[in-house]
Structure formats: C-alpha cells, structure tokens
Amino acid sequence: MIRGKLLFAGLVAVSVSGMSVISAQASTQYLGVSTHKFLKTQRKIVTKNSAKKGSITIPKGTVVQIQAISASNGKTWVGLNLNQLSYNVRKSYHLSATMTQSIPATTQNFKHVSVPKYLGFYATQKTYPDGALRNYRGDGNLYKGTAYPKNDTKAKLARVHVTTNGYLEYYKSSPFKVSGIDGKPTTSVKITKTVKSKNQIVVYSKSAVPKAIGTKVTSKGNYRYKTTIKRLNKFYGTTFYNTKSKNVLNSVEITAGYQVGKQSYFMRESTVYPA
C-alpha cells in the first residue's frame, strides 16, 4: 500500500492597516491507496479521460473502484474505469477511452469505503501471484450461458452488470467484448437494498426490472422488485489454440457459473496460460 503524506503549506504574513496578519493556506492530505480498493467521492469531480480529452462528471457520493495508481513526493493519484459506473454517469461521455486521467487521491476528493454489499457475489480483491500464469478477470459482468464463447469478438449475449455505484443494469443483447464505453442498457435501476447470504445476493429496487432477471414483490415502497444472483461454485473452461499450429494451446478461459433469477449466467473468472 502506498501511504499518503500530510502536506502543510507555509504561513503567509500580510499587513492590513498597519497590523500584521498570519494567513494559513489550506493543507492537503493524500490518502494511502491500493489497486482495486473502493473510494467514495466527497464532492463532484469533473475529469477527462486518460488522453486528457472529453469530460466526465462524477457526482458527490459515488462509489468507485481504483484501477490505476500513480505516486510522487508523497502525493497519490488514482485512475478509474468509466465502464464500472452506471449509465446515468457515463451517458454524457462519447469518446472511446474508458480510463480517466489521474485524479488526486486527496481527502477533499475521496474517502475510503468497504466493498459494497451489492458486489458481494464475486471477489473484487482477488489476484493471482506473479508467475502463476493466470490473470484474474472478475468484473461484475454476468453473461447468459455457461461457457466463454469461442468467437468472443462477435458473440452477443444477454448481460447483467452491477455497477460500483449501486445500479443493476440489464442488456437484452450485448457484445461480449465491448470496445470503448458501454452503450445504453435495456434497463438501469438504482439498488435500494441488498440482502447477502453465503452464495447469493438479493438486490431490491423501486424501479421495475425485466421479468427475465427479476420479480415484483410489492406495489409500494422502495423495495418493489427483487433480483437474485446466486453463485453456483461451478467452473467451465474454453480452450484457444494457435491459429497456425492447432495442437499448440494458447490459453484457457475460465468462467464461473451463476444463476440470475432462474436462468444460467457466467462471469469471466480468469485466463490461464500454458507453461
């Protein structure tokens, strides 16, 4: 973990009507940060993408996950993936780059928060050690089916995405590999309550969700619809071979099995490379 450092600006002496006044400039405190941890914005943040183009406004109170870190002289900055945020945040941004520019990780901008309960259906902090020849891929996106598609660049599947800022988004038909910023979902609803048990979460919303993934439980209040996401503890592998030497294994894509409502879904779990 990179530790933050408290930086104090110097005191400035000025003269007002013959009196000497000491003016203290505001201090800036940087958070200690590490990749994949969660933060909540403490004020509205207007930023650009990693190429310092476009504009994206992240409202105060938005939960984000750190995807990149930079540090210098006790100061820290974080980079965020815009596709982890709900459509109502990203809809005004129309460029292809998905990462933000580096944002100062100050206490004025962010505070630390725990992993949100609504993301409790997968491991948000998991990594494989260097040299394991395996990369973790879990990102909160669930696709209808069980196995990683062989033609992953052309495949289109129903998709469920729980965003870091607490929205349940459903795509009736989504490209499996999204190039650039995610498009408009079929449905995007704010999660109002989450009930978590060992292998599943139940998320509630006031706004309607499609019957394909959820059910209506009441006509009043903030918990009218519920969607159940259950981890099945089943894993599936799809092999990819060298296009020129078909007996040479390039990689194996591992997916984790889930159930959304009564239908089978999967999450991309990891990529394994042969030794």
Side-chain angles (χ1 to χ4, degrees), residues 62-119:
T62 301
V63 176
V64 298
Q65 187 178 27
I66 302 169
Q67 295 297 336
I69 293 172
S70 57
S72 177
N73 297 323
K75 300 178 181 180
T76 52
W77 294 263
V78 295
L80 311 174
N81 185 338
L82 298 175
N83 276 343
Q84 289 190 300
L85 299 174
S86 56
Y87 178 71
N88 66 326
V89 174
R90 67 179 190 270
K91 66 181 179 181
S92 62
Y93 174 80
H94 303 292
L95 300 179
S96 59
T98 60
M99 289 293 294
T100 67
Q101 67 180 132
S102 296
I103 303 169
T106 65
T107 54
Q108 290 91 347
N109 286 339
F110 300 104
K111 72 174 182 179
H112 289 291
V113 292
S114 301
V115 178
K117 187 184 289 188
Y118 47 77
L119 296 180

Side-chain angles (χ1 to χ4, degrees), residues 50-274:
S50 54
K52 297 184 179 180
K53 295 181 179 180
S55 179
I56 185 80
T57 299
I58 304 174
K60 179 181 179 180
T62 301
V63 176
V64 298
Q65 187 178 27
I66 302 169
Q67 295 297 336
I69 293 172
S70 57
S72 177
N73 297 323
K75 300 178 181 180
T76 52
W77 294 263
V78 295
L80 311 174
N81 185 338
L82 298 175
N83 276 343
Q84 289 190 300
L85 299 174
S86 56
Y87 178 71
N88 66 326
V89 174
R90 67 179 190 270
K91 66 181 179 181
S92 62
Y93 174 80
H94 303 292
L95 300 179
S96 59
T98 60
M99 289 293 294
T100 67
Q101 67 180 132
S102 296
I103 303 169
T106 65
T107 54
Q108 290 91 347
N109 286 339
F110 300 104
K111 72 174 182 179
H112 289 291
V113 292
S114 301
V115 178
K117 187 184 289 188
Y118 47 77
L119 296 180
F121 61 97
Y122 76 104
T124 63
Q125 309 299 305
K126 185 174 181 178
T127 59
Y128 289 103
D130 293 341
L133 300 178
R134 188 170 184 173
N135 293 334
Y136 183 65
R137 307 292 190 187
D139 63 358
N141 281 290
L142 299 166
Y143 299 88
K144 191 174 180 181
T146 55
Y148 187 101
K150 273 286 190 181
N151 195 342
D152 55 2
T153 59
K154 293 185 178 180
K156 290 188 176 182
L157 303 167
R159 173 162 64 107
V160 173
H161 181 214
V162 180
T163 70
T164 61
N165 61 323
Y167 281 73
L168 174 67
E169 299 193 331
Y170 171 72
Y171 298 78
K172 187 176 181 179
S173 179
S174 167
F176 179 72
K177 282 197 169 181
V178 175
S179 177
I181 290 292
D182 258 339
K184 184 178 181 179
T186 307
T187 305
S188 178
V189 299
K190 184 173 179 59
I191 296 170
T192 54
K193 184 175 74 169
T194 303
V195 178
K196 186 179 182 299
S197 57
K198 185 177 181 181
N199 291 322
Q200 73 175 31
I201 64 166
V202 181
V203 294
Y204 291 82
S205 65
K206 183 176 181 179
S207 300
V209 297
K211 292 181 180 179
I213 62 169
T215 57
K216 186 174 183 179
V217 293
T218 184
S219 298
K220 297 181 180 180
N222 292 324
Y223 316 127
R224 302 181 190 187
Y225 297 85
K226 73 173 184 178
T227 299
T228 301
I229 300 174
K230 183 177 182 180
R231 181 156 188 161
L232 301 178
N233 293 318
K234 294 181 179 180
F235 295 89
Y236 308 89
T238 301
T239 54
F240 288 86
Y241 289 87
N242 189 291
T243 54
K244 295 182 179 180
S245 302
K246 294 190 176 181
N247 61 334
V248 177
L249 181 66
N250 275 352
S251 63
V252 180
E253 291 290 345
I254 306 297
T255 60
Y258 284 83
Q259 188 172 298
V260 180
K262 296 181 180 180
Q263 301 191 38
S264 295
Y265 275 74
F266 70 89
M267 181 183 291
R268 188 183 182 191
E269 199 275 342
S270 60
T271 307
V272 180
Y273 301 95

